[in-house]
Amino acid sequence: MDRPWASSIKCIFLLLKQKLLKELGNRWLPYLTPKDADFHQLWQENYSKLILREASRIPELLHKEVQQAFLTLRKHDCLFQDLVRIKGKNLLTPVSRLLIGNPGYTYKYLNSRLFTVPWPVEGSNIKYTEDEIFAACRAFFKLNDYLHKDTVQALDKLRLIKSEQNEDSTVFGMVPELSKSDLDMGDDMELKKRTTYNLTLLNYMDPQKMSYLKEEPYFGMGKMAVSWHHDENLVERSTVAVYSYSCEAGPEVIDDGEQSLEGRNPAVWHVGLKIAWDIETPGLAVPLHQGDCYLMLDDLNATHQHCVLAGLQPRFSSTHRVAEVEFEWLRQFWFHGHRYKKCTDWWHLPMSELEGLWKKMECVTNAVLCEIRKEGWLVEQKNEIITDLLAWLTTRQELRMEWCMRCQSRIAQNLPEDQRPICWPYWEDDDPEMPLPFDLSNIILELQGQLLKAKP
Ligand SMILES: *[C@@H]1O[C@H](CO)[C@@H](O)[C@H](O)[C@H]1NC(C)=O
Ligand SMILES: *[C@@H]1O[C@H](CO)[C@@H](O)[C@H](O)[C@H]1NC(C)=O
Ligand SMILES: *[C@@H]1O[C@H](CO)[C@@H](O)[C@H](O)[C@H]1NC(C)=O
């Protein structure tokens, strides 16, 4: 939910962005691709925490299993466009997604929480609707392990390079340019924490089937599948590792030679990078061929923004992350209708347990309300309790109304039956099981009135 301060910060960012675009006028900022002579130097100097692992260095068997897994999940219609909320608007993402990861984990992006289809961790006993789906989840679990090990290596290497650079500049008597934070790679415990991916967000898009894709606004990089962004809700300084699988295309499409000398090849998928709030340093567009991986190490997410530039062929990616732990689950879960049933029944039990706990919370809230309505309280004591209670109830009411609205939006109601949002928990005022009404506004008014009355 938007807090007042969060929305004013957003507003400031929006104004800055508009100002930036205005300053640019009609001219594009420069960006480099492998066709440019300075491409590798720019990468090294300003984008060194982006690491590309070309497909050829990844085991062939792993490629096979992972690529098969993507196709399986698409065949079973397991990937969904998400109904997200951006700047107060309900939008359907052009990219379809599926979250796979540790059992019971979730990940929130753009105000939408996704729940994992569990991968088969040791000792788990997960029922999948299809054997093929089990095999697919196992493939991403393997990929996750591979990428974790690979990331540890990449970070070790980065640490080495950074300390050598630092020594060099000391030897030559220069002021070390690298700030302390640049070298703050943490100890081994920290390193482990920042590379132990606990879930992967799968993405899929077929550009030919999209009637509209946004144009990249600053550099003229062409069509975007995902706009410029920082990643949210991850452990600080943790790496994001991405496996990119663009489906095979004829050689005539992939061939770079026919393309104009400037800019990226619009037939090929790219990851775009830029430094946040910087219009001096050129942007970077790195082509992603079938099976290439890239790592965004350390604080790259904080200092830089990235986007995904669409090619012509359908493309999958598996983006491995270290997720933070968070709350707000029940309504987020039912907002996705019955989509999770498609792959597994895993969430059935935890969600009904959570609902049981939530019902208890309603009962406890009611009990406190009954107590506070009784005579015999000291005024100060009573006011303190009412103030706390009001804060809780107001948040509860605001979130409830927000989710109701999201569920009732036209775009939500137009989704296919099995994905259509369910506004749940929901009940009518005369429901004998529920101690409090669904709409809390009268109770909030009552409490506010009591506070006013108590004022001298
Ligand atoms: C880009 O790299 C150059 C060379 O290391 C450096 O002087 C410059 O400050 C960097 N730009 C940014 C915005 O970090
Ligand atoms: C994911 O793993 C990291 C590192 O081990 C941990 O700090 C974080 O809490 C985990 N996320 C969840 C949702 O448990
Ligand atoms: C990514 O960067 C943004 C902007 O600096 C920051 O708000 C966000 O918390 C960062 N995410 C992680 C996981 O560090």
Side-chain angles (χ1 to χ4, degrees):
M1 194 195 62
D2 289 354
R3 313 278 164 209
W5 59 266
S7 62
S8 40
I9 289 176
K10 265 188 207 154
C11 189
I12 291 169
F13 275 130
L14 209 63
L15 284 172
L16 281 173
K17 188 177 144 189
Q18 278 166 359
K19 185 163 167 279
L20 195 70
L21 281 171
K22 206 162 147 195
E23 272 172 23
L24 290 176
N26 290 326
R27 94 199 135 87
W28 298 123
L29 292 171
Y31 75 98
L32 303 188
T33 72
K35 281 182 276 189
D36 298 290
D38 301 336
F39 175 74
H40 289 283
Q41 189 182 350
L42 176 71
W43 188 339
Q44 224 168 37
E45 286 180 354
N46 295 115
Y47 298 92
S48 63
K49 289 177 181 173
L50 173 78
I51 309 288
L52 181 72
R53 300 293 206 208
E54 282 176 9
S56 57
R57 60 164 278 170
I58 296 159
E60 195 52 43
L61 183 64
L62 188 59
H63 278 307
K64 253 203 188 133
E65 287 187 4
V66 168
Q67 294 177 9
Q68 185 57 52
F70 279 127
L71 297 175
T72 298
L73 293 171
R74 183 177 62 178
K75 186 179 84 181
H76 288 286
D77 288 325
C78 294
L79 298 119
F80 299 97
Q81 290 177 273
D82 287 317
L83 185 48
V84 297
R85 211 166 154 79
I86 307 177
K87 292 178 198 137
K89 279 198 210 116
N90 299 312
L91 297 171
L92 209 53
T93 58
V95 174
S96 300
R97 300 197 157 95
L98 175 69
L99 193 70
I100 300 182
N102 287 357
Y105 280 47
T106 72
Y107 178 63
K108 190 165 96 171
Y109 82 103
L110 299 176
N111 298 312
S112 300
R113 180 174 303 286
L114 300 183
F115 294 71
T116 55
V117 171
W119 50 33
V121 290
E122 238 180 68
S124 62
N125 179 22
I126 298 147
K127 274 195 250 116
Y128 297 90
T129 49
E130 306 275 346
D131 288 346
E132 274 189 329
I133 292 179
F134 160 69
C137 292
R138 190 183 50 191
F140 288 107
F141 190 44
K142 278 191 199 172
L143 178 63
N144 194 63
D145 188 49
Y146 174 85
L147 288 172
H148 161 66
K149 288 177 180 140
D150 199 39
T151 308
V152 171
Q153 275 183 20
L155 278 170
D156 277 343
K157 195 168 160 199
L158 183 68
R159 185 148 49 172
L160 207 66
I161 293 171
K162 294 285 175 202
S163 61
E164 273 170 9
Q165 276 176 0
N166 213 31
E167 270 171 28
D168 283 355
S169 42
T170 319
V171 169
F172 292 114
M174 299 186 294
V175 184
E177 267 185 39
L178 293 163
S179 63
K180 191 174 171 300
S181 76
D182 223 3
L183 282 165
D184 174 25
M185 309 280 289
D187 56 20
D188 285 352
M189 272 297 281
E190 268 299 308
L191 190 76
K192 184 147 186 267
K193 193 173 145 197
R194 294 173 188 173
T195 57
T196 308
Y197 308 122
N198 29 35
L199 47 82
T200 176
L201 182 61
L202 304 191
N203 302 294
Y204 172 71
M205 197 186 82
D206 181 354
Q208 315 281 353
K209 294 210 173 124
M210 300 310 302
S211 56
Y212 173 76
L213 287 177
K214 256 197 209 159
E215 291 284 334
E216 192 288 309
Y218 304 109
F219 302 89
M221 290 173 170
K223 302 239 178 277
M224 297 187 292
V226 185
S227 308
W228 290 109
H229 67 286
H230 300 273
D231 283 326
E232 319 170 80
N233 303 321
L234 303 173
V235 165
E236 212 187 318
R237 282 182 177 257
S238 61
T239 300
V240 175
V242 180
Y243 182 97
S244 181
Y245 173 44
S246 36
C247 303
E248 204 59 75
E252 72 282 1
V253 185
I254 291 294
D255 186 11
D256 245 337
E258 298 296 307
Q259 287 296 322
S260 75
L261 288 172
E262 288 205 355
R264 63 129 181 156
N265 181 349
V268 175
W269 286 80
H270 288 66
V271 56
L273 275 107
K274 73 187 198 49
I275 300 177
W277 310 113
D278 174 338
I279 54 171
E280 305 295 323
T281 316
L284 197 74
V286 180
L288 298 171
H289 296 293
Q290 195 175 73
D292 284 349
C293 290
Y294 61 93
L295 310 174
M296 294 186 280
L297 298 181
D298 196 42
D299 62 350
L300 182 73
N301 163 69
T303 53
H304 293 59
Q305 286 169 302
H306 56 281
C307 68
V308 181
L309 301 164
L312 289 179
Q313 300 304 315
R315 182 243 191 192
F316 294 94
S317 68
S318 175
T319 64
H320 299 250
R321 300 153 191 262
V322 188
E324 263 179 348
V325 194
E326 290 180 287
F327 301 102
E328 285 183 42
W329 283 31
L330 268 182
R331 288 182 194 284
Q332 293 263 18
F333 183 81
W334 289 107
F335 187 65
H336 290 138
H338 293 297
R339 70 155 81 163
Y340 295 105
K341 273 194 203 159
K342 202 140 209 169
C343 297
T344 172
D345 64 359
W346 195 90
W347 282 102
H348 185 80
L349 189 63
M351 277 300 145
S352 52
E353 282 178 4
L354 193 58
E355 196 173 313
L357 291 172
W358 166 83
K359 261 195 191 147
K360 280 198 185 128
M361 183 182 76
E362 288 286 301
C363 292
V364 171
T365 311
N366 186 44
V368 175
L369 273 170
C370 293
E371 277 306 307
I372 207 72
R373 283 174 184 138
K374 288 180 185 162
E375 301 293 324
W377 286 93
L378 292 175
V379 174
E380 263 177 42
Q381 214 175 16
K382 182 167 170 168
N383 281 353
E384 209 173 300
I385 295 172
I386 290 184
T387 308
D388 284 349
L389 204 55
L390 259 176
W392 281 97
L393 290 179
T394 309
T395 309
R396 207 179 288 180
Q397 171 77 353
E398 281 171 0
L399 283 169
R400 234 172 237 181
M401 294 303 135
E402 180 185 332
W403 283 101
C404 260
M405 263 169 45
R406 281 181 73 171
C407 291
Q408 283 162 7
S409 72
R410 194 147 50 100
I411 187 165
Q413 290 303 321
N414 284 340
L415 287 172
E417 177 81 45
D418 59 337
Q419 296 174 44
R420 204 166 301 154
I422 299 170
C423 183
W424 191 259
Y426 181 82
W427 63 100
E428 301 291 340
D429 283 355
D430 54 6
D431 189 329
E433 292 220 342
M434 299 306 297
L436 291 172
F438 179 81
D439 184 341
L440 295 168
S441 44
N442 283 338
I443 294 179
I444 289 173
L445 279 176
E446 177 202 327
L447 292 179
Q448 282 167 341
Q450 295 225 14
L451 270 190
L452 279 181
K453 215 169 58 191
K455 285 242 168 78

